[in-house]
Amino acid sequence: MKTPLTIFAICCLTSLSCNNSSQNSQLTSQDTGKIANPEQQLFGSSIKWLDSSKVEMAIDTTISYKTKNFDCDSVLAIDYTGFEGEYTFLPLNDKGQWINKIQQVKKLTQQQEDYVATVIGDKKSYSNPVLVACYEPRHGIVYFKNGRVIGQTAICLSCARLESTIKIGDPKREGLLNEVGRQKLNRLCKELQFSDCRNE
């Protein structure tokens, strides 16, 4: 027979565990500050942040794609799903946790690094942009220096749009690409054999 004290303790623990699980399951987009609803499903599973393989974040807001050769040790291209409903995510959150929707990771060659910097850093890539009312990033670029992440960029080729912690060539800083800029980044997508490249 359960005593009133035992029943009270079970109710309290149940209440606490429900509160904790709902708080822990909410995702915060570092870019929009919105809370993603954990009930929203994307192809049967929601976006989460992985505790394993955390990296140290040291985002450098002074670096720019316009300088083309900013100092970094390595650059990773990420094939991932960076959206859920109306919420968008970079490959890493501000705690250094990787998103759980990564399909492939490839290290860029120096030539590929230079190519990305040239396209994203060129203001001509943003003149007369393609205007599409969506943003569903599926490709990311993550920059490392001394084992720490100094910058990252998320790209949506379908929507011709990107967001970045690194200064881009767009004078308005909106990240809206034109068709030429999108095609150039799509060439790299195909070269890396990533998913969701555009068929041109």
Side-chain angles (χ1 to χ4, degrees), residues 144-170:
F144 289 85
K145 182 177 180 181
N146 299 324
R148 302 185 301 172
V149 173
I150 59 168
Q152 56 180 332
T153 300
I155 303 165
C156 176
L157 293 173
S158 297
C159 308
R161 187 173 167 198
L162 60 86
E163 64 180 310
S164 184
T165 63
I166 302 166
K167 294 175 186 169
I168 61 176
D170 182 6

Side-chain angles (χ1 to χ4, degrees), residues 119-134:
V119 174
I120 296 177
D122 187 356
K123 68 179 180 181
K124 292 178 185 172
S125 296
Y126 307 94
S127 61
N128 299 315
V130 176
L131 298 176
V132 181
C134 74

Side-chain angles (χ1 to χ4, degrees), residues 55-85:
V55 295
E56 188 177 342
M57 301 297 283
I59 298 298
D60 184 348
T61 58
T62 65
I63 58 178
S64 171
Y65 279 113
K66 293 183 268 188
T67 60
K68 293 183 179 63
N69 291 322
F70 54 83
D71 189 24
C72 65
D73 301 330
S74 64
V75 181
L76 298 180
I78 314 292
D79 184 359
Y80 79 114
T81 300
F83 67 96
E84 185 169 70

Side-chain angles (χ1 to χ4, degrees), residues 77-80 103-104 106 136-140 155-160 179 182-200:
I78 314 292
D79 184 359
Y80 79 114
Q103 284 85 43
Q104 292 185 70
K106 293 191 178 176
E136 299 174 343
R138 295 183 184 272
H139 305 104
I155 303 165
C156 176
L157 293 173
S158 297
C159 308
E179 189 57 37
R182 172 165 60 181
Q183 287 175 5
K184 287 179 178 178
L185 290 177
N186 194 54
R187 275 186 224 124
L188 178 64
C189 180
K190 288 181 175 181
E191 183 180 320
L192 295 171
Q193 298 179 332
F194 277 0
S195 62
D196 295 301
C197 302
R198 290 178 54 81
N199 294 323
E200 299 172 335

